[in-house]
Amino acid sequence: MELFPHIKRQDTAVYRAITGEEKRQAEGLELIPSENYVSRAVREANASSLTNKYSEGYPGRRYYGGQEYTDAVETIAIERAKKLFGATFANVQPHAGAPANIGMYFGLLEPGDTVLGMDLSHGGHLTHGHPVTYLTKIFRFVRYKMKNVETGEIDYDEMRKVAKKEKPKILLAGYSAYPRELDYAKFVKIAEEVGAYSVMDVAHIAGLIAGKAVKNPFDYGFDVMTTTTHKTLRGPRGGMILTRENADIAKKMDKAIFPGLQGGPLMHNIAAKAVCFGEALSPKFRVYAKQILKNAKAMEKVFAKHSVRMIAGGTSNHLILADVYGSLGISGKDAETLLDEVGITLNKNSIADDTRSPMDPSGIRFGTPAITTRGFKEKESARVAEIMVETLKHKTDKKRHRVAREEIRRLCKKFPIPASFV
Ligand SMILES: *Cc1c(COP(=O)(O)O)cnc(C)c1O
């Protein structure tokens, strides 16, 4: 079957870019921990005629006519999201993770209010108050950190002290580069002590929570969760806000996303979210989520065997942060480029308290959601980790790199990107 026949006929330049990317994804290994492969069903929903429809508002309360099917599809997405995460409310309209967070802030805060979040070099996200974002012109961000970078333990005593002093209105958890689980009960207790909302940005681990491979923050009393839908959750690019039991917060979230922040929702995207949530509710998804963790452990073992330092000492989730500069004498940027040449895509990453610049930091960040979707088990994951370490150790050995590139190509052929997960 020919893919994209209409684009091919009509627009050669775009056709080349799309098919080039299809080939790149098919023939290389994706280890960026925030990426994944969606099913054909999700892609079909995303390409559907729902993209033509304006539906400002929410199901049953729209500003335009003709909402019979958009109401149906958004309601399906909301109900499935609630079931997946044990929530009582879901807003599935945020276009991505960043707008979900911005909406959450606008809903819960007044300008000038304070947010206590993780130090950015210890794993927080841009939207958690990085100085380059406009958020820092509106709100005040203060920080907590890991107490011990070698174990990943958070400094809860310091967190409590800072919280009592700074009086944040939001105590924010959730990270882009943190490989351990939080002590959620302790976290919620501190938030309650200072009268702050407890919010967890689960963008990276939403699929692990939905698949019950890690704990659900709602079980420990968190007020709000924000997330993306395209990382471990394996859905279309998008965002979402979830709450539990507090109707007042729920109302604030709906108002903040529309009309506060966004216009018309992307209905084709919401349909794709609904399809993804349907997949994530299937028993197979739990097997998938658990395998992501097993594969990360298998990679951790190899890096430990080669004495490569890992931030937090290893991983309890889907990602690993390795200090390649400290352990192998190659910078994060050079490691990223070199591994790209052998067909392994990952990203350079600052490590906690990094002394190098963010553009050429000490670390690399990688994870197992995408290779697990391809069907990799522990054996293949460990093999990829071996190839990574050997490549980085012999950074000028071109022949070795060619052999590694061939092996990666063979692995990709043996484990093609699947069309369906159910
Ligand atoms: C990826 C991520 C986001 C932002 O998601 P986008 O879809 O890229 O806007 C927000 N928070 C965390 C913790 C993330 O990892």
Side-chain angles (χ1 to χ4, degrees), residues 253-321:
M253 296 300 101
D254 267 355
K255 252 179 87 179
I257 293 298
F258 178 84
L261 181 67
Q262 296 186 167
L266 313 177
M267 270 304 160
H268 56 297
N269 189 250
I270 288 172
K273 286 173 184 170
V275 173
C276 148
F277 301 158
E279 292 170 357
L281 281 166
S282 80
K284 275 193 181 170
F285 193 81
R286 291 197 187 182
V287 179
Y288 167 64
K290 290 194 176 73
Q291 190 66 45
I292 292 176
L293 263 58
K294 287 186 204 163
N295 288 350
K297 272 284 167 212
M299 297 187 86
E300 174 200 282
K301 248 190 221 152
V302 173
F303 275 74
K305 184 184 84 186
H306 287 280
S307 306
V308 179
R309 176 175 176 246
M310 286 169 278
I311 302 308
T315 183
S316 312
N317 59 24
H318 62 300
L319 70 83
I320 290 173
L321 205 56

Side-chain angles (χ1 to χ4, degrees), residues 34 95-101 123-128 173-177 201-204 226-231 237-239 365:
S34 49
H95 300 332
N101 279 342
H125 186 257
L126 268 178
T127 53
H128 299 180
Y175 321 103
S176 302
D201 175 354
V202 298
H204 258 262
T226 59
T227 187
T228 62
T229 49
H230 49 270
K231 297 181 182 177
R237 201 147 285 280
R365 184 188 70 150

Side-chain angles (χ1 to χ4, degrees), residues 107-127:
L108 297 180
L109 303 177
E110 297 296 328
D113 279 348
T114 300
V115 178
L116 176 53
M118 175 80 118
D119 188 274
L120 297 171
S121 85
H122 285 220
H125 186 257
L126 268 178
T127 53

